[in-house]
């Protein structure tokens, strides 16, 4: 395998909550009947059938209260043009400030979870599991529906170039890079015939 670092000795850096690069989402929840959004990098896909996603939330967050009481939440996917709003929702707590008022919010018929209109994709979830891991609770949500901007769809799924998500790592935000190969396919070039 090649990497830009070449072959180097391994150094133990100890246990850390590390992952190489993470797309950020704004977790929406209704807290005491009021909409709130917080930035999260620790989210991902959890199950295919039924479709489920997960997000890990510190127990001290205002959002945590809302997820537990309403048993629904949303994962709103920002574009790079939304980077300042996305960062702001990670800087202040809804317990002190009304962050939700900076967004145009919409609701679906199925849940009371707030969704952000100006973000290209909104994943609406029903809470099915909460796993207490220590500082954070890992919430698993069944996907009830995905609301996507018409213009970002390609064959009925959001296209990553059009969505233009924000990637977070090591204290900085980045944009998505170029493709380097076809999945479930390029590996075949290494198969011995
Ligand atoms: C880039 C970024 C990623 C973050 N990821 C998470 C996360 O995955 N889980 C978490 O609990 N907090 C995360 N935070 C911190 C919360 O967004 C922050 O504490 C926020 O103010 C909580 O808002 P709330 O109290 O209204 O829920 C992140 C913050 C930033 C800026």
């Amino acid at each position: 395998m090649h990497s830009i670092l070449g072959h180097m000795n391994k150094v133990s850096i100890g246990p850390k909550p590390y992952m190489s690069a993470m797309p950020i989402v704004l977790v929406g929840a209704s807290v005491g009947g009021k909409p709130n959004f917080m930035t999260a990098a620790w989210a991902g896909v959890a199950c295919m059938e039924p479709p489920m996603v997960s997000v890990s939330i510190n127990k001290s967050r205002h959002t945590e209260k809302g997820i537990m009481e309403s048993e629904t939440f949303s994962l709103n996917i920002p574009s790079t043009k939304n980077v300042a709003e996305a960062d702001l929702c990670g800087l202040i707590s809804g317990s002190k400030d009304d962050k939700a008022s900076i967004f145009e919010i919409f609701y679906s018929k199925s849940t009371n979870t707030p969704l952000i209109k100006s973000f290209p994709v909104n994943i609406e979830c029903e809470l099915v599991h909460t796993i207490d891991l220590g500082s954070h609770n890992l919430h698993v949500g069944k996907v009830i529906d995905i609301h996507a901007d018409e213009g970002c769809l390609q064959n009925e799924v959001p296209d990553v170039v059009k969505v233009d998500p924000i990637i977070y790592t090591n204290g900085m935000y980045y944009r998505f890079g170029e493709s380097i190969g076809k999945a479930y396919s390029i590996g075949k070039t290494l198969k011995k015939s």
Side-chain angles (χ1 to χ4, degrees):
M1 291 291 123
H2 301 284
S3 92
I4 53 164
L5 300 173
H7 293 278
M8 288 190 179
N9 289 330
K10 288 287 178 188
V11 175
S12 166
I13 60 165
K16 295 178 201 300
Y18 171 81
M19 193 42 71
S20 53
M22 298 163 277
I24 62 160
V25 297
L26 261 64
V27 186
S30 175
V31 196
K34 288 196 184 123
N36 188 59
F37 297 99
M38 71 154 255
T39 316
W42 298 357
V45 175
C47 188
M48 182 163 73
E49 195 49 58
M52 290 189 192
V53 290
S54 71
V55 63
S56 204
I57 299 191
N58 192 295
K59 291 171 189 169
S60 66
R61 310 287 186 241
H62 195 55
T63 304
E64 179 60 23
K65 263 193 224 139
I67 295 177
M68 293 307 259
E69 70 191 26
S70 70
E71 297 190 332
T72 62
F73 64 89
S74 63
L75 301 183
N76 300 270
I77 301 182
S79 279
T80 57
K81 65 174 186 226
N82 310 118
V83 67
E85 297 131 272
D87 190 55
L88 182 72
C89 289
L91 281 170
I92 53 180
S93 175
S95 61
K96 297 192 182 79
D97 282 288
D98 175 16
K99 291 181 268 186
S101 61
I102 65 169
F103 300 111
E104 188 182 338
I105 295 169
F106 71 104
Y107 293 89
S108 83
K109 288 186 194 102
S110 8
T111 70
N112 67 346
T113 197
L115 305 156
I116 300 174
K117 195 145 196 192
S118 59
F119 286 15
V121 183
N122 318 92
I123 307 172
E124 191 183 359
C125 306
E126 185 184 281
L127 183 67
V128 287
H129 294 290
T130 294
I131 305 161
D132 183 342
L133 299 174
S135 59
H136 287 57
N137 275 340
L138 179 71
H139 298 290
V140 179
K142 188 169 142 193
V143 178
I144 298 299
D145 198 2
I146 298 177
H147 309 271
D149 284 359
E150 233 172 5
C152 78
L153 296 179
Q154 190 83 46
N155 302 323
E156 292 176 19
V157 281
D159 176 73
V160 72
V161 174
K162 291 175 180 158
V163 172
D164 193 19
I166 302 168
I167 315 298
Y168 171 76
T169 185
N170 205 16
M172 288 297 290
Y173 298 116
Y174 296 84
R175 59 161 43 101
F176 188 76
E178 81 258 33
S179 62
I180 53 160
K182 194 165 158 52
Y184 302 103
S185 173
I186 191 168
K188 292 176 194 163
T189 60
L190 298 178
K191 260 192 187 167
K192 291 198 181 97
S193 49

